[in-house]
Amino acid sequence: MLLKLLETRRVIFVGGKGGVGKTSVASALGASFAEAGDRVLVVSTDPAHNLGHLWSTEIGDRPRRLLAADTGHLDGLEIDPEATVSRHFAAVGATMAELVPEHMQEAARRHLELARHAPGSHESAILDRIAEVVADGFSDYDRIVFDTAPSGHTVRLMALPGRLSTWTGELLANRDRSEKFASALHGLGGAKAQREDADSRLRATLLRRQERFETLRSTLLDADRTAFIIVFTAEAMPVAETIELHGHLNDLGIDVAGLVANRRSPDDAGELLAGRRRAEAKLLDRVREQLPEVPVTELPLLPSATAQRGELDGLIEHLRRE
């Protein structure tokens, strides 16, 4: 049911409360699509990065092959916010060095360092990398699956594209401020052609960034191409957080295509787990009453010697049979 639900979606975000199995579900979806013949990229946006641990391999900020199927494959990528922030501020610093006179450059460097560590810098960097992956990824991949950070972080991230696109647009559209800045630069001395070239490159960078954010925003709001899947376990806190996350995403205009109730207790493994399953059923009834329009897929609690990889293999098999 879950694979059928997502068969036309090229961008899939998997989110939910921490510790509910988001990485395993995202990887199982990616592997299932790869086995069906797709070229798939699974991207971890969580700074904790469980993706490499799950696949027992080192994954960095560039794609690495995780699974090779007969006709498809699955690659993994872990977004490194520190590296992304460093690249961004290095580029800004290089441009600023050309625009700002020498006696002001030390103050400019201090300002950049403060900005680098300001609240929101990492989230902005992660979003910038997500936007880059979405803009460029489909030349190499048929589907991109994002394994996101816990709910609160993800909501802030999903709200950023519109805000940053608007902010960048206002910078570019404010002709009066731009002209005053240019006039001030002319009075500082130095090579006019060099200043104009640096200003032109700065504008080109802002335009590219704005276009990436607008592309990402339009992708997020396109229910024909993009789906958000919320993973939860049938416990009081994850259920409450799932309902709240659905409301936030709905307010942002992002389609929640499905819910995944992960690690459902069996009813044939003793009274303890059977009793737990009955308690879970009541909480699932609450989810279905609160969100009647969103289909719920139940995935079983899976025995495993090594918890994460055993869960992943079991989920792939379950999705294949579903």
Side-chain angles (χ1 to χ4, degrees), residues 27-99:
S27 292
L29 287 171
S32 298
F33 286 126
E35 290 176 351
D38 286 343
R39 301 167 302 159
V40 186
L41 177 67
V42 60
V43 182
S44 171
T45 73
D46 187 346
H49 290 321
N50 290 317
L51 192 62
H53 299 304
L54 178 63
W55 288 92
S56 301
T57 189
E58 187 173 333
I59 301 173
D61 200 50
R62 290 291 179 266
R64 181 186 180 97
R65 185 63 42 88
L66 301 177
L67 175 69
D70 290 340
T71 55
H73 60 257
L74 175 66
D75 291 349
L77 182 153
E78 291 179 339
I79 290 177
D80 183 344
E82 285 288 350
T84 306
V85 167
S86 295
R87 285 195 298 269
H88 173 69
F89 279 96
V92 172
T95 303
M96 185 175 289
E98 298 181 53
L99 289 172

Side-chain angles (χ1 to χ4, degrees), residues 164-243:
L164 290 179
S165 178
T166 299
W167 178 77
T168 306
E170 287 173 355
L171 281 179
L172 289 163
N174 194 332
R175 299 297 301 166
D176 290 340
R177 183 177 299 173
S178 176
E179 288 169 4
K180 288 178 183 177
F181 181 60
S183 297
L185 284 177
H186 286 308
L188 293 171
K192 177 180 176 181
Q194 183 180 3
R195 291 195 305 270
E196 290 178 345
D197 180 61
D199 185 55
S200 176
R201 285 188 282 112
L202 180 60
R203 284 177 168 276
T205 299
L206 287 172
L207 280 168
R208 284 196 302 272
R209 200 162 188 249
Q210 184 188 34
E211 288 168 3
R212 283 203 304 268
F213 288 146
E214 288 177 348
T215 298
L216 177 59
R217 186 169 183 271
S218 67
T219 300
L220 288 173
L221 299 179
D222 186 351
D224 292 330
R225 286 189 293 164
T226 303
F228 202 106
I229 299 295
I230 303 177
V231 181
F232 67 103
T233 52
E235 301 168 287
M237 287 295 290
V239 163
E241 198 161 313
T242 293
I243 294 169

Side-chain angles (χ1 to χ4, degrees), residues 126-144:
I126 290 171
L127 185 74
D128 204 37
R129 190 74 173 94
I130 289 173
E132 182 182 9
V133 170
V134 169
D136 302 336
F138 291 114
S139 60
D140 297 314
Y141 298 100
D142 303 304
R143 297 180 196 267
I144 302 173

Side-chain angles (χ1 to χ4, degrees), residues 4 30 72 193 197 223 234 245 257 260 297 309:
K4 184 73 174 174
D197 180 61
L245 176 57
V260 173
T297 298
R309 187 53 194 256

